[in-house]
Amino acid sequence: MELLSGAEMVVRALKDEGVEYIYGYPGGALLHIYDALFQQEDVKHILVRHEQAATHMADAYARATGKAGVSLVTSGPGATNAVTGIATAYMDSIPMVVITGQVMSHLIGEDAFQETDMIGVSRPVVKHSFSVQNPEDIPGIIKKAFHIAESGRPGPVVVDIPKDMTTPTERYPYEYPASVKLRSYNPVSRGHTGQIKKAMDMVLSAKRPVIYSGGGIVMGDASNELTELAQMLNVPVTNTLMGLGGYPGTDRQFVGMLGMHGSYEANMVMHHADLILAVGARFDDRVTNALDKFCPTAKIIHVDIDPAAISKTIKADVPIVGPAKSVLSEMVSIVKASKKQIDKEALDAWWQQIEEWRTRHGGRFRTDDSELMKPQQVIEMLSKVTNGDAYVCSDVGQHQMFAAQYYKFNKPNRWINSGGLGTMGFGLPAAMGVKLNFPDADVACVTGEGSIQMNIQELSTISQYDIPVKVICLNNQSLGMVRQWQDMNYESRHSQSYMKSLPDFIKLVEAYGHVGMKVDKYEDLEAAMQEAFSLKDRMVFMDIAVDPFEHVYPMQVPRGSMRDMWLTKTERT
Amino acid sequence: MRHIISVLMENEPGALSRVVGLFSQRNFNIESLTVAPTEDSTLSRLTVTTLGSDRVIEQITKQLNKLIDVVKVVDLTEGEHIERELMMIKLKATGQMRDEIKRTADIFRGQIIDVTPTTYTVQLAGASDKLDAFIDAIGTSGIMEVVRTGVSGLSRGEKVLSL
């Protein structure tokens, strides 16, 4: 058997796992591993400018591919800088393996230089974590880390490696395990057939059904099965923020995103439904609004890989624990074989009602109340210029909601955003992570002048590795979402939401060697955006001036039901 | 309602902190907690008593099951079960009190396990409410120190929590 040092084992195990890129930042505790990285070419390392970006790059790769992303950060501040990225992945159930350096074993607990109890610090935001105690364990631990990160309900796994586990002169036999078995961890591989049959019987008896699907469809690779089932039944489909692209966004049966900033029709459909088939979604507070007023007439079927997600906030009438893909394909088979048909007359009446709702609001916004262009117009233009086929990596705030509402995602894994944690600064490194792995695809970072400054140092990483992402910065010169809440709930007292002394973004990106474009008029937008995407080899930053007074609508009224919404600044349901 | 949840888990470093962390992170209540290895040294058995509505208890058992180190979870209070807690209680024992404490300890089937001219230490095992009753019977004025293990329990009859 081959003899390798601990440091070499780490790198080799990543290679054997099929990892092409890792994202990281060196430091004292990792020097042996970085030396091992230097001496091979299979695993390529991307040097970020801040560890948070390394985790977001790995995370976005996972969101785009379904495979675990990997980042490598040193002990102490390197590890703590990665925590936000780990928490971001955890909240959205994204598979990730984060290798953190640690001080030498004999120094642990002595407040050594750059020591942090990373296992402790990361505990609430990881699916699992490992601390390496013997170098021989490294291959097995890394195999387990990938297995745990990617299977069941995915999530981030931390592997903490003390420096003395990687000493170059100490060599041990290396063998990468072909498979892994854990007696305490056996995620279900299929749903309970009896429950699935019962569920489909309810669906076929429903008069006002809706499918409410989430990120579980995207990460569970179940988009085709979902689409097939929905279209066989002619049932309306709504997606959560995390689920966008799981069902084709331009299809007639798609009623839009639901929840706090969901479409009028999606929230109305949910509220009036008599049956909700929830798949890979978790009834979170940004979806349900007040729990006691949630969908009063609906029976609920809840399909999820994680039993703990079922009946956590809203009680399920029929719980089904299993992977979305296999459960949905069983559902398709049942419908195909069933003699019972869904009540067509009732469904026609339901669709008629839905079309009325669609006509009533249908995602309209005003363009005549401001000299400046509207953020929604920019997103619609992005959708047009990229044929709805780009990877759209978003930051957090109003621009994120506009992107979710107005970019029509027809494919899964294309909408990449921090849904659960709401991490500002996610967008740019996420776009970098995607572009690096899909060099031929159009990759846009939709951001604002607030979010972009949270990881703007990565403009330097983009220069180093030539990662030609396109940044679409909706510049409203304020922290738009905060400002909107202040307008609505604090009599427009804009406490600390005004971004005074913004940099000249054009000069800034030019200083890093990139292309900057300033757009002030809607008439210039299409040509400028066309040009930006035609510059295939250049990173382009579009600084687009948009109306600072615009709000995101619809917006659910706090403590109301799903149908209680503000539709404009003055109009309520 | 009070529940006794029994957990079989890997005897790994950090496993206990994951369980304890879960309770604080998700705002679950811990009344008592006890943990030790089993006859199989790779496994630990943890017992936690907690208060909560049915919905909360369901979440507690589900979230515990989600922990990678956790092998099996059972809510003992769902079925017939036996629970015991051990208490050692150090009491001022002078004059008439010495006889009184001895008599009360006998009634509760406790044993005096340490004796000095001025103190008795009584050991008592039983359900938690029995230990509470002993404390009430003795009265707080004579108590110098109390240490309790927290509840351990298992199901009655053939039912077992094992691999």
Side-chain angles (χ1 to χ4, degrees):
Chain A
M1 211 181 285
E2 205 175 353
L3 294 180
L4 296 180
S5 73
E8 289 165 336
M9 284 191 200
V10 171
V11 178
R12 178 68 72 82
L14 293 175
K15 182 199 165 197
D16 289 346
E17 193 59 45
V19 175
E20 184 182 3
Y21 286 109
I22 63 173
Y23 318 91
Y25 207 105
L30 288 181
L31 285 169
H32 299 327
I33 296 178
Y34 271 85
D35 195 49
L37 269 173
F38 189 85
Q39 298 178 50
Q40 55 85 55
E41 281 171 357
D42 299 305
V43 179
K44 301 184 203 70
H45 180 270
I46 302 296
L47 176 69
V48 293
R49 298 299 179 266
H50 185 287
E51 288 87 350
Q52 186 189 342
T55 53
H56 292 332
M57 286 183 82
D59 170 315
Y61 163 78
R63 290 177 201 245
T65 62
K67 288 187 278 183
V70 181
S71 48
L72 177 62
V73 298
T74 194
S75 65
T80 55
N81 277 348
V83 170
T84 300
I86 297 170
T88 303
Y90 179 74
M91 287 294 276
D92 290 341
S93 307
I94 304 303
M96 195 156 86
V97 173
V98 180
I99 299 171
T100 57
Q102 184 54 275
V103 301
M104 304 238 226
S105 309
H106 71 273
L107 291 174
I108 291 178
E110 300 200 344
D111 303 318
F113 177 65
Q114 292 194 329
E115 181 189 355
T116 296
D117 170 14
M118 186 54 181
I119 297 294
V121 169
S122 65
R123 200 213 65 241
V125 293
V126 294
K127 183 170 175 185
H128 195 56
S129 49
F130 293 95
S131 173
V132 175
Q133 320 261 338
N134 300 294
E136 304 97 301
D137 298 341
I138 287 173
I141 285 178
I142 289 182
K143 183 75 193 175
K144 280 183 197 166
F146 277 91
H147 171 65
I148 291 169
E150 289 176 346
S151 58
R153 180 176 181 169
V157 176
V158 163
V159 180
D160 198 45
I161 310 182
K163 188 174 185 180
D164 52 325
M165 298 294 117
T166 59
T167 311
T169 49
E170 292 168 18
R171 293 170 183 278
Y172 306 88
Y174 172 87
E175 187 180 16
Y176 198 62
S179 66
V180 52
K181 196 162 162 42
L182 291 159
R183 64 180 172 183
S184 60
Y185 175 71
N186 297 294
V188 287
S189 56
R190 56 193 299 263
H192 187 278
T193 308
Q195 289 289 90
I196 298 174
K197 280 191 180 138
K198 193 171 156 194
M200 289 327 283
D201 194 51
M202 281 167 71
V203 170
L204 292 171
S205 311
K207 299 198 183 308
R208 298 183 309 280
V210 58
I211 296 176
Y212 147 52
S213 70
I217 297 292
V218 178
M219 290 317 286
D221 184 26
S223 183
N224 292 338
E225 290 76 6
L226 172 73
T227 309
E228 189 180 1
L229 180 71
Q231 296 187 345
M232 266 168 64
L233 294 166
N234 187 29
V235 165
V237 180
T238 178
N239 284 164
T240 67
L241 178 66
M242 291 307 299
L244 292 174
Y247 188 83
T250 51
D251 187 84
R252 180 191 63 88
Q253 280 172 243
F254 186 60
V255 294
M257 180 173 78
L258 82 171
M260 181 173 274
H261 292 298
S263 74
Y264 172 73
E265 52 269 38
N267 287 342
M268 293 301 274
V269 164
M270 286 292 287
H271 186 85
H272 293 93
D274 69 345
L275 182 111
I276 296 171
L277 172 57
V279 192
R282 60 187 177 93
F283 294 88
D284 93 300
D285 59 290
R286 286 297 195 265
V287 159
T288 58
N289 211 357
L291 292 174
D292 56 339
K293 295 175 188 154
F294 179 77
C295 303
T297 53
K299 290 264 182 231
I300 290 163
I301 300 161
H302 193 173
V303 182
D304 206 287
I305 186 85
D306 176 10
I310 295 175
S311 297
K312 186 172 74 177
T313 57
I314 297 287
K315 189 147 180 55
D317 296 294
V318 181
I320 300 170
V321 178
K325 195 179 178 76
S326 81
V327 172
L328 285 168
S329 67
E330 272 193 66
M331 287 181 166
V332 167
S333 312
I334 290 172
V335 176
K336 278 183 182 158
S338 172
K339 289 189 203 88
K340 189 168 166 183
Q341 296 283 322
I342 196 158
D343 182 344
K344 202 174 163 305
E345 234 168 83
L347 206 58
D348 284 346
W350 182 225
W351 272 113
Q352 204 176 342
Q353 172 68 75
I354 295 168
E355 291 306 334
E356 267 173 47
W357 286 327
R358 235 181 211 155
T359 328
R360 177 157 177 223
H361 187 262
R364 68 192 151 87
F365 57 90
R366 285 179 68 176
T367 52
D368 59 349
D369 60 348
S370 163
E371 291 286 298
L372 285 162
M373 77 185 100
K374 294 288 179 170
Q376 296 95 321
Q377 292 179 297
V378 181
I379 302 298
E380 285 187 337
M381 187 61 77
L382 178 65
S383 205
K384 185 181 166 194
V385 168
T386 58
N387 298 315
D389 203 31
Y391 287 89
V392 177
C393 303
S394 178
D395 259 309
V396 170
Q398 280 186 324
H399 61 269
Q400 177 189 24
M401 292 299 114
F402 289 133
Q405 291 175 333
Y406 292 94
Y407 198 97
K408 300 300 171 202
F409 294 96
N410 279 325
K411 293 179 191 161
N413 308 93
R414 295 293 169 109
W415 166 239
I416 291 176
N417 85 129
S418 168
L421 197 67
T423 308
M424 288 172 71
F426 176 80
L428 182 62
M432 292 159 60
V434 174
K435 184 67 182 173
L436 202 60
N437 288 282
F438 297 89
D440 299 327
D442 282 335
V443 180
C445 162
V446 172
T447 185
E449 79 298 323
S451 282
I452 191 69
Q453 292 191 78
M454 282 215 186
N455 265 322
I456 198 147
Q457 76 287 344
E458 296 310 315
L459 289 171
S460 173
T461 310
I462 292 175
S463 304
Q464 183 171 352
Y465 298 97
D466 293 323
I467 312 173
V469 297
K470 313 300 175 206
V471 172
I472 312 297
C473 180
L474 305 184
N475 190 339
N476 61 359
Q477 303 190 40
S478 59
L479 302 176
M481 191 57 93
V482 172
R483 184 186 163 115
Q484 173 169 347
W485 281 63
Q486 290 170 338
D487 283 340
M488 295 176 79
N489 302 318
Y490 300 90
E491 296 166 319
S492 294
R493 289 187 296 278
H494 295 149
S495 177
Q496 304 295 317
S497 58
Y498 176 52
M499 298 292 278
K500 231 175 180 170
S501 65
L502 286 173
D504 180 337
F505 286 112
I506 306 303
K507 280 189 186 159
L508 182 69
V509 299
E510 283 173 357
Y512 283 101
H514 307 312
V515 177
M517 287 183 184
K518 199 162 174 56
V519 185
D520 297 322
K521 294 193 197 70
Y522 183 63
E523 301 86 81
D524 303 335
L525 182 64
E526 183 162 10
M529 211 178 260
Q530 295 280 14
E531 192 195 340
F533 280 94
S534 69
L535 294 171
K536 296 283 177 207
D537 302 334
R538 303 297 300 278
M539 186 273 179
V540 182
F541 188 107
M542 297 191 75
D543 184 16
I544 304 171
V546 296
D547 179 11
F549 297 100
E550 189 62 13
H551 286 179
V552 182
Y553 292 112
M555 181 169 179
Q556 280 176 335
V557 176
R559 292 173 295 283
S561 71
M562 291 221 51
R563 68 168 167 187
D564 298 321
M565 289 169 269
W566 286 100
L567 299 176
T568 66
K569 282 183 185 172
T570 52
E571 192 188 349
R572 251 194 75 164
T573 51
Chain B
M1 198 187 131
R2 174 175 172 272
H3 288 254
I4 304 170
I5 293 169
S6 213
V7 180
L8 194 66
M9 60 188 198
E10 298 288 352
N11 187 9
E12 293 274 349
L16 176 61
S17 79
R18 289 181 216 275
V19 172
V20 176
L22 175 71
F23 275 74
S24 68
Q25 177 186 352
R26 295 200 180 262
N27 215 4
F28 300 148
N29 159 289
I30 298 182
E31 291 278 293
S32 80
L33 182 145
T34 165
V35 61
T38 65
E39 83 286 2
D40 174 350
S41 63
T42 66
L43 289 170
S44 283
R45 176 85 175 238
L46 178 147
T47 313
V48 58
T49 53
T50 183
L51 296 170
S53 63
D54 288 351
R55 197 177 70 86
V56 170
I57 300 298
E58 184 181 331
Q59 265 299 305
I60 291 176
T61 53
K62 283 174 166 179
Q63 294 291 349
L64 281 169
N65 260 314
K66 246 174 102 168
L67 294 176
I68 306 291
D69 287 332
V70 167
V71 183
K72 277 187 181 162
V73 179
V74 67
D75 178 358
L76 290 176
T77 25
E78 274 184 353
E80 290 280 304
H81 66 280
I82 303 156
E83 59 173 283
R84 290 288 182 274
E85 187 178 357
L86 180 79
M87 172 169 74
M88 287 186 276
I89 177 165
K90 190 180 285 183
L91 301 159
K92 277 184 215 136
T94 50
Q96 285 182 327
M97 283 305 292
R98 289 181 84 84
D99 278 352
E100 184 58 29
I101 290 167
K102 176 78 176 71
R103 268 198 299 277
T104 314
D106 285 345
I107 292 167
F108 280 82
R109 295 193 194 155
Q111 290 132 23
I112 296 172
I113 55 173
D114 185 55
V115 177
T116 73
T118 53
T119 67
Y120 275 161
T121 299
V122 179
Q123 168 190 296
L124 196 60
S128 303
D129 53 1
K130 178 177 156 180
L131 309 189
D132 296 339
F134 181 77
I135 290 174
D136 285 346
I138 288 289
T140 48
S141 63
I143 297 175
M144 297 169 71
E145 197 176 359
V146 173
V147 57
R148 297 169 69 149
T149 57
V151 175
S152 281
L154 34 70
S155 296
R156 283 189 183 274
E158 295 277 318
K159 214 172 141 190
V160 293
L161 186 64
S162 66
L163 278 178

